[in-house]
Amino acid sequence: MTADGTTRGGTAGCGARADAPLAGRVALVAGATRGAGRAIAVQLGAAGATVYATGRTTRDRVSELGRAGETIEGTAELVDAAGGTGIAIAADHLEPERVREVVARIDRNHGRLDILVNDVWGGNGLLDFGTRMWDVDLDRGLRMLDLGVRTHIITSSIALPLLIRRPGGLVVEVTDGTERTNREPRENFYYDLAKNAPIRMARLLGEELMELGCTAVAVTPGFLRSEEMLDHFGLTEENWREGTEAQPHWSLSESPVYLGRGLAALAADPGRHRWNGQSLDSGELAREYGVTDLDGSRPDVWGYILAEKAGGRPAPEDYR
């Protein structure tokens, strides 16, 4: 890592094919240390993009999540290996000055930003399911809003002036659930606000970006087999199916790569503006763009849950 906190995951270009769908595009994935953010960064790189991966955990410093094995440098190296150019920059997106430094560096190096992905979260450890609002520790609740909402607002406010220099820019809000699936309350007052706000942000930004030829969308994975979730169940990506007995929806779970592939396909779609202001889940993206998860399946846990709520008795195998 250099003195300014930046680590380049390889040499510029890193062998990216000139005919790759995102060749020449520059992306910033805020919150790319692990999970969906890491997978999105890697898949954008696989499509030829230069990807700036930001987050708080580096090989020299670990965030309060305590997951030292997942770093932004590791993400940048995976982007390189996938065929893109990965650049890691340590940044806490609650610190506007640090975000300004990130965006200024992108501007100096490239003079453009084509894709902004707001994936900052890290609040799962603060979540108390089945707890009334007034029984939740206020500091814990507000911290969730800081991590899931304030970080996204700070990053968009600072990065959008660079993104809108060229028409065609794409802003992606990563959250949990879609506008449709989140109509009912989500387990916890603060979590509900933290995960519904990005959906509304995509809607509002879509309106403001429309006249500039840019697009904003919200996306969500389904039942995500992130590193943290696999650890919670005591499983690995190799034996994850063993968790189905303990959690029935686990059979419809998906790897982070699934959403990453869908989003990379959307970013490369010249007609992506038709999604402006909308919220999409990984299953919808897979059907639209013909992508699959690592095992060749197309899990759709949100479709399954909606069918259950409608009074049906869906068969899990029909949603994978």
Side-chain angles (χ1 to χ4, degrees):
M1 181 172 291
T2 62
D4 66 355
T6 302
T7 301
R8 180 175 292 277
T11 57
C14 195
R17 305 188 322 273
D19 63 344
L22 295 179
R25 307 284 181 84
V26 179
L28 167 59
V29 182
T33 314
R34 60 184 64 84
R38 167 173 277 192
I40 289 168
V42 172
Q43 293 305 313
L44 291 175
T50 293
V51 183
Y52 283 79
T54 63
R56 295 176 297 162
T57 296
T58 70
R59 287 174 178 153
D60 299 320
R61 184 175 181 181
V62 182
S63 76
E64 77 271 14
L65 297 183
R67 299 187 64 84
E70 299 138 14
T71 67
I72 54 172
E73 296 97 331
T75 298
E77 290 168 359
L78 290 171
V79 171
D80 282 349
T85 299
I87 303 170
I89 306 182
D92 184 336
H93 284 258
L94 283 171
E95 300 177 5
E97 285 307 312
R98 193 65 184 122
V99 178
R100 288 189 181 98
E101 291 171 6
V102 172
V103 174
R105 183 175 180 86
I106 297 172
D107 192 7
R108 287 196 305 272
N109 288 349
H110 307 280
R112 64 187 295 165
L113 178 63
D114 302 286
I115 303 165
L116 169 62
V117 180
N118 280 316
D119 182 60
V120 180
W121 173 229
N124 287 340
L126 301 168
L127 181 57
D128 301 309
F129 288 107
T131 306
R132 296 174 300 188
M133 181 268 193
W134 54 90
D135 291 328
V136 176
D137 179 82
L138 181 59
D139 288 340
R140 286 167 65 88
L142 294 179
R143 179 65 173 171
M144 270 197 278
L145 295 180
D146 281 345
L147 292 170
V149 181
R150 192 162 169 244
T151 55
H152 292 217
I153 293 172
I154 289 170
T155 306
S156 292
S157 176
I158 295 169
L160 283 177
L162 178 56
L163 183 135
I164 64 173
R165 283 187 192 170
R166 299 168 181 262
L170 174 65
V171 180
V172 181
E173 289 289 330
V174 183
T175 188
D176 180 14
T178 65
E179 188 172 17
R180 182 184 180 194
T181 63
N182 284 3
R183 287 173 184 167
E184 295 184 13
R186 292 300 308 273
E187 298 98 6
N188 174 291
F189 176 89
Y190 295 98
Y191 186 80
D192 187 297
L193 292 178
K195 295 307 178 181
N196 276 297
I199 296 171
R200 193 63 184 169
M201 288 167 64
R203 175 76 71 179
L204 295 169
L205 287 174
E207 288 293 319
E208 297 184 358
L209 292 168
M210 189 181 307
E211 64 183 27
L212 301 171
C214 298
T215 300
V217 299
V219 301
T220 179
F223 196 151
L224 188 66
R225 289 196 309 274
S226 63
E227 302 91 338
E228 184 179 7
M229 185 63 74
L230 285 168
D231 288 347
H232 175 76
F233 281 92
L235 299 169
T236 66
E237 186 57 33
E238 288 67 39
N239 69 353
W240 67 264
R241 290 174 178 81
E242 296 176 12
T244 301
E245 292 184 7
Q247 167 52 257
H249 288 159
W250 192 243
S251 64
L252 295 173
S253 65
E254 63 194 58
S255 79
V257 171
Y258 190 48
L259 178 62
R261 287 175 172 174
L263 182 53
L266 183 150
D269 179 4
R272 60 186 172 276
H273 190 69
R274 70 187 184 277
W275 304 116
N276 189 43
Q278 297 186 45
S279 55
L280 305 164
D281 65 56
S282 52
E284 291 174 305
L285 290 170
R287 291 190 297 274
E288 177 69 24
Y289 293 107
V291 303
T292 64
D293 204 348
L294 291 170
D295 61 0
S297 67
R298 291 197 178 108
D300 181 17
V301 72
W302 291 115
Y304 179 88
I305 290 172
L306 287 171
E308 277 190 321
K309 288 182 177 179
R313 300 181 64 182
E317 58 269 22
D318 292 336
Y319 290 82
R320 185 166 194 92

